[in-house]
Amino acid sequence: MLPRRPDCGGTRTGSGSVVNFRTTGTDPGSARRGSAVLPSVLTFLVIVASGGLLLMIEKGMLSGVETPAPRGDGQRPSSARRPGERQPGPAAEDVDSQILQEIRNRTIRTVCSQKNMPHSVWSLSPLQRKTLLQHVLVSDRYRFLYCYVPKVACSNWKRVLKVLNGALDNVDVSVKMDHRSDLQFLSSMKPEEIRHRLKHYFKFMFVREPMERLLSAYRNKFGEIESYQKKYGVEIVTRYRKSRGKDAAGAAAKGDDVTFAEFVRYLLDEDAERMNEHWMPVYNLCQPCAVTYDFIGSYERLEGDSDLVLRRVGAPDAVRFPERQTWYKPVTAATLHYYLCGLPQKLLRELLPKYILDFSLFAYALPNTTAQHCRH
């Protein structure tokens, strides 16, 4: 069994540009690769395009909206408000956040209304339900559920949860993160307990531009984590390199030199529902059709969206979202451009359908890797 050590760090960059998406012809592995997307890629693109969401992004309508000054007194909910209860009105939200939430809500409602999509946790397959429940963290004290997504600042959110439940004094305590202890998961509860919390608790998650998240996982796991190099890295080199797991001197490969193209080839042959959580599509991790999330935050707006969530759940004023650790290696727009433009276009065209739900549901533009764009 390959390691599944959660590591949720990363950095923030802006989103990409729109690309003309073209499907590829059939190849021997295309049936398996395409099976991860239900219904078809074409169906989702038609749904999204019909709502004008990609057009809004392409025309810059989101980035062109000016953020007004905050309204209201800016204070967190008083102690009289029940923990987990949403604040009345959008006083703490700026216009950009409201637009993004509306786009995501409308798109999710449209896509999830299709008859072949899951409409509750209990309509999921056993594997899908297990994955979801293992990624939903519970705060009974503040009455919220948080679906964590690796490589989308989930380590910091887990730190916040530990502070809220009293396991840590504050978010700045210098301690190695244990991703299981002092945390409560929905998977540990009985069905009736799960139903109650899904119905009555505030539910949120955070998302990130899909290709940036993949690149962050690739650079971290294959550049820094020896256990991933030995397991995934050696397997990838053995499977996709002509040398079949041997270096130039004939010695066994260490798995520490996996190329991004080799990593992508590995992803194409993996079942999305059985992937390691660090590169599993967000849709499969958090099942936004089966769970009605009250708020979907963005990694690109991490500080503001996190503060909004803390206010909405009634967290104490002293509890704040942690600052980014200094040792994180940023995934800049230039870095993402370099890696994506360095991929064979056939690989990218085959990879995008695996993550098309993450692009469409969460209003991220498809990456621009046209020849003209990549020359710059």
Side-chain angles (χ1 to χ4, degrees):
M1 191 71 178
L2 297 179
R4 290 176 56 88
R5 177 170 55 188
D7 177 17
C8 325
T11 58
R12 298 166 291 286
T13 68
S15 58
S17 305
V18 175
V19 68
N20 292 324
F21 185 79
R22 296 171 293 173
T23 56
T24 59
T26 303
D27 62 57
S30 63
R32 180 181 176 186
R33 295 169 183 173
S35 65
V37 182
L38 293 174
S40 68
V41 173
L42 179 59
T43 301
F44 282 107
L45 290 180
V46 169
I47 290 172
V48 176
S50 66
L53 305 184
L54 290 183
L55 180 62
M56 290 182 69
I57 300 171
E58 184 175 13
K59 298 301 182 182
M61 292 175 67
L62 299 182
S63 59
V65 176
E66 293 185 0
T67 302
R71 293 169 289 176
D73 58 11
Q75 297 299 311
R76 290 187 175 154
S78 66
S79 58
R81 182 172 293 117
R82 184 180 64 183
E85 184 176 65
R86 297 180 66 164
Q87 294 189 69
E93 298 182 37
D94 61 33
V95 174
D96 281 355
S97 180
Q98 293 178 51
I99 291 175
L100 283 171
Q101 287 300 310
E102 183 62 20
I103 287 175
R104 286 171 178 154
N105 290 340
R106 289 190 179 189
T107 309
I108 289 172
R109 284 197 300 268
T110 301
V111 172
C112 295
S113 66
Q114 305 303 302
K115 63 180 181 180
N116 54 344
M117 301 299 284
H119 297 115
S120 77
V121 169
W122 313 108
S123 64
L124 297 171
S125 71
L127 176 59
Q128 291 170 335
R129 184 163 56 249
K130 178 181 179 181
T131 298
L132 169 65
L133 297 181
Q134 287 179 340
H135 285 83
V136 177
L137 289 157
V138 181
S139 172
D140 284 327
R141 181 177 182 182
Y142 291 92
R143 296 172 60 85
F144 69 77
L145 303 178
Y146 161 56
C147 184
Y148 80 86
V149 178
K151 308 311 298 179
V152 190
C154 71
S155 289
N156 278 343
W157 265 112
K158 289 177 180 178
R159 188 176 287 267
V160 169
L161 263 72
K162 291 189 178 192
V163 171
L164 290 176
N165 66 24
L168 286 180
D169 290 334
N170 60 72
V171 296
D172 297 319
V173 172
S174 180
V175 59
K176 184 178 180 180
M177 173 58 67
D178 186 319
H179 291 270
R180 303 299 302 182
S181 68
D182 301 312
L183 294 170
Q184 188 174 27
F185 294 82
L186 210 53
S187 57
S188 67
M189 298 182 172
K190 298 177 181 179
E192 60 270 20
E193 296 173 328
I194 294 173
R195 287 189 178 93
H196 174 80
R197 285 160 178 78
L198 287 171
K199 182 178 181 180
H200 297 288
Y201 283 18
F202 179 77
K203 299 172 288 295
F204 71 95
M205 58 183 287
F206 275 75
V207 297
R208 184 179 187 179
E209 198 282 329
M211 294 298 101
E212 180 185 310
R213 176 174 170 252
L214 279 188
L215 180 56
S216 177
Y218 162 76
R219 296 175 73 194
N220 172 239
K221 299 307 174 189
F222 298 105
E224 302 172 4
I225 311 299
E226 186 177 358
S227 61
Y228 274 75
Q229 295 169 357
K230 289 182 176 179
K231 296 291 184 178
Y232 289 99
V234 171
E235 178 185 349
I236 290 172
V237 169
T238 302
R239 191 189 299 183
Y240 300 103
R241 198 173 292 179
K242 290 182 178 180
S243 61
R244 296 296 180 186
K246 302 291 183 179
D247 61 19
K254 298 180 180 179
D256 59 353
D257 61 346
V258 174
T259 68
F260 190 56
E262 290 170 338
F263 176 57
V264 169
R265 288 189 175 94
Y266 167 76
L267 294 178
L268 293 177
D269 288 331
E270 287 296 292
D271 183 347
E273 293 187 354
R274 300 178 185 278
M275 284 181 175
N276 178 277
E277 62 177 2
H278 293 89
W279 42 81
M280 181 182 286
V282 176
Y283 174 85
N284 298 88
L285 288 170
C286 293
Q287 296 289 344
C289 288
V291 177
T292 302
Y293 290 95
D294 298 290
F295 186 82
I296 299 177
S298 299
Y299 189 72
E300 297 76 20
R301 304 171 56 82
L302 184 59
E303 289 86 356
D305 283 354
S306 297
D307 188 60
L308 177 59
V309 168
L310 290 172
R311 285 196 296 267
R312 285 191 172 182
V313 302
D317 288 345
V319 177
R320 58 176 176 78
F321 193 77
E323 295 182 0
R324 187 183 70 193
Q325 287 89 339
T326 56
W327 47 264
Y328 280 149
K329 292 183 178 179
V331 176
T332 65
T335 303
L336 186 61
H337 176 276
Y338 171 82
Y339 277 94
L340 292 184
C341 287
L343 278 178
Q345 288 299 291
K346 182 177 182 293
L347 285 183
L348 184 61
R349 289 197 299 269
E350 292 179 347
L351 179 66
L352 291 179
K354 266 213 157 129
Y355 296 88
I356 194 63
L357 284 175
D358 288 0
F359 280 105
S360 59
L361 288 178
F362 308 126
Y364 284 109
L366 294 170
N368 186 348
T369 57
T370 60
Q372 180 179 3
H373 179 76
C374 287
R375 281 197 295 267
H376 298 287

